[in-house]
Amino acid sequence: MGANDMRASTRDSSEAVIVALGLTRRFGNVTAVDHLDLRVRRAEVYGFLGPNGCGKSTTIRMLCGLLTASEGSVRVLGHQLPVDAEAVKRRIGYMTQKFSLYEDLSVAENLEFLAAVYGLVGRNATARIAELFEQYHLGELRRQLAGTLSGGQKQRLALAGAVMHKPELLLLDEPTSAVDPQSRRDFWESLFKLADAGTTLLVSTHYMDEAERCHRLAILDRGRLVADGSPTELMADLPGMTLRVDSDQPRRLQEALAAEPHVLGVAQIGASLRVLTDRKDDGVAWLRDALKNVGVTADVEPTEPNLEDVFVAVTRGRKEDGQ
Amino acid sequence: MSAGRLFAVFRKELRQLSRDKLTFGMIIGIPTLQLLLFGFAINLDIRHLPAAVLDESNTWRSRELVAELASSQVLDFRQHVSSPQQIDNLLRSGDIGAAVVIPRDFEARLERGTEAAWQVMVNGSDQSVQAAARQLASFPLSSLQYRPGIAAVRPVEIVNFYNPERRAQINTVPGLIGVILTMTMTIFTGMAIVRERERGNMEMLIATPLSPLELTLGKVLPYVGIGLIQVTLILILGLLVFDVPVRGSLVDVYLAALVYIAATLSLGIFISTLAKTQFQAMQMAFFLFLPQILLSGFMFPYDGMPRFAQWIAEIFPLTHFLRLIRAVMLRGAGLGELWIELVTLIVFVMVMLAIAVRRFRKSLD
Ligand SMILES: Nc1ncnc2c1ncn2[C@@H]1O[C@H](COP(=O)(O)OP(=O)(O)OP(=O)(O)O)[C@@H](O)[C@H]1O
Ligand SMILES: [Mg+2]
């Protein structure tokens, strides 16, 4: 964690690769993305965290120049979108949420096609493809049809295709949704290798553990940016507090606390409860009072917040605004 | 526009095609099946239609007319009747499909030349019988020819002149080249382009430097080759099975086919900009295919159609191609004599492509 922070701070001074201001996209009367402000710096891994339908894919598509914004402005790699969309497309890689290479072509044929599309010919193409086979462990699968690959193999192929032309900016839309935990870790190793080599990455995800690995991340909820910063910043700025409660009646206590105002979430972890409250500093005292009212004796200790707490706190807060 | 990217798409499409057994089968299967079907089963020219004759004139000239009509083999005179009432009954009962009536003043009418001298009555409820009668009415009958203008019919139809045995296949096989290309090319290209969108490949393609033109051309180019293979297949089968000759130059046949392939492909491309799914693309292709097959002159003679239908037919590329290919294959004409048809087809291609390019936007909006 500390190493990541150090790297992130040296990046602060470097230029912004993506700058979006007031980015908005409507489909009919649905506002999929609502006045989003974003700044992604060079060579960082920037995460997009949010539930289904919060507008992650729509935002990424606008950043690639695939969709035009209804409102707002976007600059990607110094190019204004959508006017300079074609220039942007040469310099970015995009990995779609759904597998979008050809299922009826083999692994090698898919990569040959992409190499040619990106203007790699002859020996250059062969060399680059061999390199990608090596990097993403695709060599043995080269003759297999892409449609018959496993989920994890497909993701590797899609990543290899997206980095064919060594893009400066790589946008990945939920790249690990169909992948087992080990493959997910390996996949993230590949992403960090790319970042170390100077590639900027924007990754959308549902997974907290993945979000936690990002240098910085944005939390989206119903099209809006509800929080952004590095994971440590976000956890430090948690608008509330996380408490550990040990008692001999955890189930009863959980029900009682869930009904309590100021409680954003209660989760049972083993024999103890993890309580998220929106009380900032007086959380411990407040909860002890609350427990007295319920009539249960329990130990209350403050505990380290995690990203999930941040996520629940910022999205719950907005739900109550809305109601 | 980059040749490398165009070729990349072309090669990819060929590879996909070679794995798509169904499409591959259709490429060979459709022409073969259609040719045999149309060639053997559908005989648009009628022969030996049971008929009756009512000869009230009963002169040597009227008898000569009847003999000549009989020798055309279109009508098979089974009955000589003596009153119009009998003809009515026979037609109604279905015993005959047509009747020839020669009035008492047949010779006088021929002299005057102002009104029809004789009549063919047909069972009009049968389209093909009607067509046969119309053909018969335009048949050059030497017994009537001593006075010009009398027969009050159009000049000889080319089909009969170049097809003395009145064999349907002679006319049908060249027409089939057009029909089969219309069907397969339009459907295949329409579906091939829509497939990229339906399967989600388009989202990946749009994010690359590939231009719409490179994508479209690269995708349809393999079909040009496939179209030419189909033309060759029909020509060979036509020659071997039905003895249909190529009287003009083979180069002209292929040039005309090439221009027509371009027309059908451009129609397919246009469809692909409208359709959201492969199924829709197929429906639209069929929707455009039906009127073409009916109005182009493939099924029914162009000259026999009402003016309004003829105007519509002029819009269809198949109409123009049929004129081209029949002229070259059956009459030995050169393409130079038919430049108007060629130019019309080329204009059609350009208009379709212009519309398609305007509609095809490189985004997901
Ligand atoms: N082409 C479209 N037409 C209409 N509505 C759309 C379209 N694309 C997206 N939407 C709507 O916009 C909203 C955001 O969709 P989006 O795909 O961006 O969500 P997401 O965050 O990527 O979700 P997921 O995690 O499920 O992929 C949704 O309500 C969706 O229904
Ligand atoms: Mg999505």
Side-chain angles (χ1 to χ4, degrees):
Chain A
M1 196 54 69
N4 273 1
D5 283 351
M6 280 239 317
R7 264 190 273 162
S9 64
T10 56
R11 280 179 184 98
D12 281 351
S13 52
S14 63
E15 95 236 55
V17 168
I18 299 175
V19 183
L21 288 174
L23 189 61
T24 302
R25 173 71 204 207
R26 294 183 201 92
F27 295 105
N29 44 23
V30 177
T31 306
V33 178
D34 195 358
H35 293 93
L36 208 64
D37 296 332
L38 279 181
R39 240 184 122 75
V40 178
R41 302 183 188 99
R42 187 167 290 283
E44 74 182 353
V45 178
Y46 193 92
F48 259 20
L49 184 65
N52 288 124
C54 69
K56 302 182 295 290
S57 297
T58 308
T59 308
I60 292 179
R61 285 177 181 148
M62 285 193 283
L63 297 177
C64 297
L66 266 58
L67 275 178
T68 36
S70 313
E71 240 178 74
S73 78
V74 198
R75 284 183 80 79
V76 174
L77 296 164
H79 299 284
Q80 192 72 40
L81 286 176
V83 272
D84 268 348
E86 289 311 306
V88 168
K89 283 170 189 174
R90 273 161 223 280
R91 298 172 61 189
I92 63 165
Y94 171 40
M95 187 169 148
T96 53
Q97 181 170 356
K98 181 179 167 287
F99 184 69
S100 58
L101 290 175
Y102 296 100
E103 306 219 326
D104 48 356
L105 290 186
S106 71
V107 168
E109 287 166 346
N110 267 302
L111 292 181
E112 281 164 20
F113 170 67
L114 282 171
V117 162
Y118 283 110
L120 291 175
V121 287
R123 214 165 293 160
N124 288 340
T126 322
R128 180 65 183 145
I129 291 171
E131 208 171 281
L132 291 170
F133 278 158
E134 173 73 30
Q135 247 161 40
Y136 298 105
H137 315 292
L138 292 166
E140 272 152 42
L141 304 168
R142 69 177 72 199
R143 266 181 257 288
Q144 196 171 331
L145 291 188
T148 64
L149 295 177
S150 76
Q153 293 166 338
K154 273 187 184 162
Q155 300 309 87
R156 260 149 50 206
L157 173 58
L159 181 61
V163 300
M164 173 62 72
H165 54 302
K166 302 189 176 158
E168 295 159 63
L169 169 64
L170 189 58
L171 301 109
L172 306 111
D173 196 356
E174 288 182 35
T176 55
S177 48
V179 173
D180 68 55
Q182 179 57 43
S183 307
R184 263 171 58 194
R185 269 194 295 280
D186 295 345
F187 193 85
W188 273 80
E189 283 314 307
S190 320
L191 296 192
F192 278 110
K193 256 184 228 161
L194 287 165
D196 286 342
T199 311
T200 310
L201 290 100
L202 190 149
V203 190
S204 78
T205 180
H206 295 293
Y207 297 114
M208 296 301 158
D209 62 320
E210 290 187 350
E212 230 155 288
R213 305 179 72 156
C214 297
H215 296 128
R216 289 197 317 128
L217 69 131
I219 299 180
L220 302 187
D221 185 36
R222 282 164 291 163
R224 294 237 187 137
L225 184 76
V226 287
D228 68 336
S230 73
T232 28
E233 274 165 19
L234 286 172
M235 288 186 271
D237 296 348
L238 176 75
M241 201 173 192
T242 317
L243 303 160
R244 211 181 98 143
V245 181
D246 287 305
S247 89
D248 42 9
Q249 291 168 293
R251 304 263 352 133
R252 207 190 123 215
L253 192 55
Q254 181 170 10
E255 276 166 33
L257 284 176
E260 212 39 46
H262 301 296
V263 171
L264 297 176
V266 188
Q268 186 169 356
I269 294 168
S272 53
L273 291 179
R274 197 181 156 85
V275 179
L276 176 65
T277 149
D278 62 0
R279 306 292 288 230
K280 187 76 182 133
D281 301 317
D282 60 343
V284 180
W286 165 80
L287 187 62
R288 285 193 178 129
D289 280 351
L291 287 174
K292 242 174 252 163
N293 293 343
V294 178
V296 179
T297 48
D299 285 342
V300 179
E301 291 288 332
T303 172
E304 275 290 300
N306 61 24
L307 257 189
E308 190 157 354
D309 300 326
V310 175
F311 184 77
V312 171
V314 294
T315 54
R316 265 295 278 274
R318 246 174 62 77
K319 249 167 227 152
E320 271 148 24
D321 285 352
Q323 277 158 9
Chain B
M1 178 85 179
S2 128
R5 287 197 293 264
L6 182 76
F7 184 69
V9 179
F10 174 74
R11 195 169 60 162
K12 167 207 86 103
E13 195 66 19
L14 270 188
R15 280 176 166 165
Q16 287 183 303
L17 257 175
S18 69
R19 287 190 191 130
D20 183 356
K21 302 250 159 28
L22 186 68
T23 305
F24 221 68
M26 290 206 298
I27 289 165
I28 305 295
I30 289 182
T32 312
L33 208 73
Q34 290 230 9
L35 187 84
L36 298 179
L37 211 81
F38 274 91
F40 282 124
I42 302 181
N43 197 337
L44 294 174
D45 268 351
I46 289 208
R47 293 217 254 170
H48 304 296
L49 183 67
V53 62
L54 170 61
D55 186 357
E56 295 180 315
S57 158
N58 204 11
T59 56
W60 67 266
R61 205 172 271 152
S62 73
R63 283 192 295 273
E64 196 183 331
L65 172 66
V66 172
E68 202 177 347
L69 286 173
S71 72
S72 78
Q73 294 190 358
V74 175
L75 298 183
D76 194 352
F77 293 114
R78 303 212 174 140
Q79 317 222 20
H80 284 259
V81 298
S82 51
S83 80
Q85 185 57 46
Q86 277 175 290
I87 290 179
D88 257 12
N89 292 340
L90 287 169
L91 273 175
R92 199 173 317 116
S93 67
D95 287 342
I96 58 168
V100 169
V101 179
I102 301 171
R104 204 174 303 278
D105 56 348
F106 173 62
E107 300 233 344
R109 284 184 187 219
L110 277 182
E111 297 291 333
R112 288 201 300 277
T114 51
E115 57 202 309
W118 58 288
Q119 244 185 337
V120 183
M121 299 170 83
V122 293
N123 169 12
S125 62
D126 189 331
Q127 286 288 320
S128 51
V129 171
Q130 222 175 19
R134 227 178 290 126
Q135 265 179 326
L136 194 71
S138 62
F139 203 66
L141 294 160
S142 54
S143 52
L144 304 176
Q145 222 125 63
Y146 75 102
R147 258 190 109 83
I150 285 170
V153 285
R154 275 173 261 104
V156 196
E157 258 186 75
I158 288 145
V159 16
N160 299 336
F161 190 80
Y162 288 95
N163 184 6
E165 318 104 282
R166 307 176 64 78
R167 282 197 303 125
Q169 289 91 349
I170 290 268
N171 218 15
T172 306
V173 169
L176 266 183
I177 296 180
V179 169
I180 288 167
L181 288 178
T182 312
M183 193 161 138
T184 53
M185 293 289 105
T186 312
I187 292 182
F188 287 163
T189 47
M191 284 177 48
I193 298 174
V194 173
R195 187 164 53 223
E196 303 269 341
R197 222 166 319 168
E198 208 178 46
R199 292 197 187 157
N201 310 119
M202 199 58 105
E203 186 170 356
M204 179 264 300
L205 292 178
I206 300 179
T208 70
L210 202 63
S211 78
L213 193 66
E214 288 155 359
L215 177 65
T216 310
L217 284 186
K219 278 192 76 83
V220 305
L221 269 181
Y223 294 98
V224 174
I226 288 168
L228 291 177
I229 292 175
Q230 291 187 326
V231 171
T232 311
L233 192 70
I234 301 166
L235 286 178
I236 292 175
L237 279 180
L239 186 69
L240 294 183
V241 183
F242 300 112
D243 204 17
V244 174
V246 178
R247 297 205 173 99
S249 107
L250 212 51
V251 175
D252 281 357
V253 170
Y254 276 97
L255 273 180
L258 210 55
V259 174
Y260 187 61
I261 287 170
T264 52
L265 293 182
S266 67
L267 198 61
I269 293 170
F270 171 70
I271 285 176
S272 75
T273 65
L274 297 175
K276 292 221 158 45
T277 62
Q278 293 189 69
F279 183 66
Q280 279 182 3
M282 194 148 93
Q283 280 180 316
M284 286 185 206
F286 264 112
F287 179 76
L288 290 173
F289 174 65
L290 273 178
Q292 293 211 75
I293 211 179
L294 292 177
L295 298 182
S296 62
F298 174 73
M299 283 274 193
F300 311 111
Y302 177 89
D303 294 313
M305 293 190 303
R307 201 21 77 73
F308 175 65
Q310 288 182 345
W311 284 338
I312 297 178
E314 288 296 328
I315 305 172
F316 297 140
L318 183 58
T319 312
H320 301 280
F321 177 69
L322 287 189
R323 288 182 197 150
L324 272 175
I325 196 73
R326 282 180 176 157
V328 174
M329 276 181 70
L330 304 180
R331 280 175 273 145
L335 282 187
E337 302 165 59
L338 294 146
W339 63 272
I340 291 194
E341 311 296 342
L342 267 185
V343 169
T344 313
L345 283 177
I346 291 168
V347 169
F348 179 87
V349 173
M350 295 201 296
V351 170
M352 279 296 139
L353 286 183
I355 298 175
V357 166
R358 276 180 63 103
R359 288 192 50 90
F360 192 116
R361 299 190 40 223
K362 207 191 164 192
S363 76
L364 292 173
D365 293 304

